[in-house]
Amino acid sequence: MKWSMLLLLLHLLAGRVFSAPLEGHGIDAAGADDDGLQVLKWETVSVGRFAADGLAIPVVEEARVSIRSDLVNQAHEYVHRAAPADDQHHHYQQRQRRVVFGEDDRQRIDPATDGKKFPFTAVVRVSTGCSGLLITKRHVLTAAHCLHDGNQYLMTARLFLRAGYVEPDGKTNWFFAKRFFVPSQWTNGTARGAGGAHQYRDWDDYDVAVIEMDGEELGAERGGAHVPPGLSTLLCSNTKSLHGTGSTLQFVSFPDDKSIKALWFVDTVVTTESPHLLYFTGDAWHGSSGAGLYTWDRDEEATGGKWERRVVAVLSGNRDTVPFASKQGNFNVGARLNAVNFLMVCHWAGIQEECKDRYKKYLSKDDPYLQNLCKEE
């Protein structure tokens, strides 16, 4: 018992030590190196007993990928050119509580009946009070703020992170996580300026994370059910969009204002978008954070034109639209799997080649598809 208390104290101290940015962090989680490759940066955190040195110390990692630079650059320019100097606080407000719009249209999914069917079998509960979605047999997609509160990593995530599913009797069957991954843009929010505001104003646009489970037992219990990542991005100098405005989104979560013995399903439509966010009025509440927003996607080469579900965003919170959005108002939002987030998520899950092959006509520097698409009237 004494050793357990000592270990817990050391973990708490580690949480304080690493509440500030680690050395070597750059503000951008993606940038070009000398060879023109995009550099993706993130932090990897081992959970509890899986930490080699007994402390869940974040490790800064990166990968270099070949990707069309315009997919990264135009999104960056689109965000930074649009907000007037006197409107920065409004534009980059922090994430807020999820909202129910008008009549509550969330549908109860009974774990004893429909809960045994796909895609509900891919939906999981995260032990920090969030929702998640299996994207492989051992990887869960969720929100970064479910693991790191914008100031430091949650101690419950660093020590005891679990994910699980609801049994037919309403009880949650939990499984331990091995480690998790968070973009450096999110953790760099710990570099705070006057009044405690994040110095990196776009930090909330990267509210995505992946949890790697300890083995494939959770996935096996769910029959191998998972929803693979899908690309959601603005195209052609932001004049066209893939899985953006007008797209149907669905998600399943565990909202705190509903019965914890069931899953809750929402069907909604993207009202407007930014390079990093999808805005919608689908109902959500605390506990829904981290739910995977999935839609239907098809590719002639990969599936022969067959439609399949792909998760294209992560439920983040609620906020007002950016000033340049096509429609103004207050919406629930999802951090979209744009080129940067999509490739990071795929890399964390070990499926980067599959992801790049699936969306090569959008991502490849040499594929003429996007060039021809942008020439269309």
Side-chain angles (χ1 to χ4, degrees):
M1 178 63 69
K2 291 182 178 179
W3 284 109
S4 299
M5 293 300 295
L6 177 60
L7 181 59
L8 178 59
L9 177 61
L10 289 173
H11 276 289
L12 292 172
L13 291 173
R16 293 183 180 274
V17 170
F18 291 99
S19 64
L22 299 178
E23 286 294 325
H25 274 205
I27 287 298
D28 292 325
D33 64 10
D34 294 337
D35 297 322
L37 297 176
Q38 291 298 319
V39 182
L40 310 177
K41 297 181 182 179
W42 66 89
E43 288 184 8
T44 302
V45 182
S46 296
V47 177
R49 62 189 176 90
F50 297 102
D53 55 3
L55 295 174
I57 300 175
V59 177
V60 181
E61 298 188 277
E62 64 179 42
R64 288 167 169 77
V65 297
S66 177
I67 180 179
R68 297 179 65 101
S69 60
D70 55 311
L71 290 182
V72 177
N73 295 338
Q74 73 182 32
H76 179 80
E77 294 167 1
Y78 186 77
V79 169
H80 288 268
R81 75 178 183 224
D86 60 353
D87 197 28
Q88 296 301 325
H89 177 71
H90 167 77
H91 182 142
Y92 297 102
Q93 63 173 309
Q94 294 187 5
R95 174 182 50 81
Q96 300 175 7
R97 184 180 295 274
R98 281 62 54 201
V99 168
V100 173
F101 294 89
E103 183 178 350
D104 191 339
D105 59 3
R106 291 171 290 179
Q107 302 174 41
R108 187 180 188 275
I109 303 299
D110 188 340
T113 55
D114 288 340
K116 294 181 177 181
K117 303 175 183 178
F118 183 79
F120 308 122
T121 46
V123 178
V124 299
R125 173 177 277 138
V126 178
S127 60
T128 55
C130 289
S131 302
L133 186 71
L134 283 162
I135 57 173
T136 75
K137 293 180 181 180
R138 65 183 302 172
H139 294 92
V140 174
L141 180 67
T142 191
H145 78 262
C146 296
L147 308 172
H148 186 291
D149 64 8
N151 185 41
Q152 63 182 3
Y153 286 102
L154 303 183
M155 194 55 59
T156 51
R158 298 176 65 177
L159 290 177
F160 313 112
L161 184 62
R162 297 170 297 163
Y165 65 92
V166 179
E167 297 271 19
D169 62 3
K171 296 180 180 179
T172 301
N173 189 8
W174 293 106
F175 300 82
F176 281 101
K178 181 177 182 179
R179 58 181 178 170
F180 57 86
F181 311 88
V182 178
S184 68
Q185 277 117 325
W186 182 269
T187 58
N188 272 313
T190 57
R192 293 176 178 269
H198 283 75
Q199 292 181 350
Y200 183 51
R201 64 188 186 183
D202 299 331
W203 71 288
D204 204 27
D205 297 340
Y206 299 87
D207 194 5
V208 299
V210 165
I211 301 168
E212 181 180 328
M213 305 305 295
D214 178 24
E216 296 184 355
E217 186 177 0
L218 171 59
E221 287 279 332
R222 306 310 285 157
H226 65 280
V227 180
L231 179 65
S232 173
T233 183
L234 287 166
L235 303 166
C236 308
S237 299
N238 307 310
T239 62
K240 297 186 179 182
S241 177
L242 177 65
H243 301 317
T245 302
S247 297
T248 296
L249 294 179
Q250 298 176 333
F251 64 92
V252 185
S253 66
F254 301 94
D256 289 349
D257 64 332
K258 296 288 190 180
S259 170
I260 63 173
K261 296 184 177 182
L263 301 82
W264 295 88
F265 170 80
V266 174
D267 185 283
T268 188
V269 175
V270 180
T271 302
T272 187
E273 63 188 306
S274 77
H276 302 281
L277 298 174
L278 300 178
Y279 298 81
F280 53 90
T281 57
D283 295 333
W285 201 252
H286 188 281
S288 297
S289 291
L293 306 173
Y294 55 86
T295 189
W296 290 95
D297 179 275
R298 68 175 178 178
D299 181 85
E300 292 295 338
E301 294 184 11
T303 65
K306 180 181 178 181
W307 291 95
E308 63 178 9
R309 291 179 180 87
R310 289 271 168 167
V311 56
V312 295
V314 177
L315 184 60
S316 175
N318 174 272
R319 63 189 291 179
D320 293 339
T321 50
V322 291
F324 49 90
S326 60
K327 293 185 179 180
Q328 295 296 302
N330 179 267
F331 297 91
N332 287 330
V333 298
R336 72 192 303 175
L337 298 190
N338 56 21
V340 172
N341 287 341
F342 172 71
L343 289 174
M344 277 199 292
V345 165
C346 291
H347 190 91
W348 299 336
I351 54 175
Q352 57 268 37
E353 294 305 319
E354 173 190 328
C355 290
K356 285 190 291 185
D357 287 345
R358 173 61 183 261
Y359 293 97
K360 63 182 179 181
K361 64 184 180 183
Y362 299 106
L363 299 172
S364 174
K365 297 178 180 180
D366 303 320
D367 197 299
Y369 175 82
L370 192 57
Q371 183 178 358
N372 294 332
L373 177 67
C374 295
K375 288 180 179 179
E376 296 178 2
E377 294 295 332

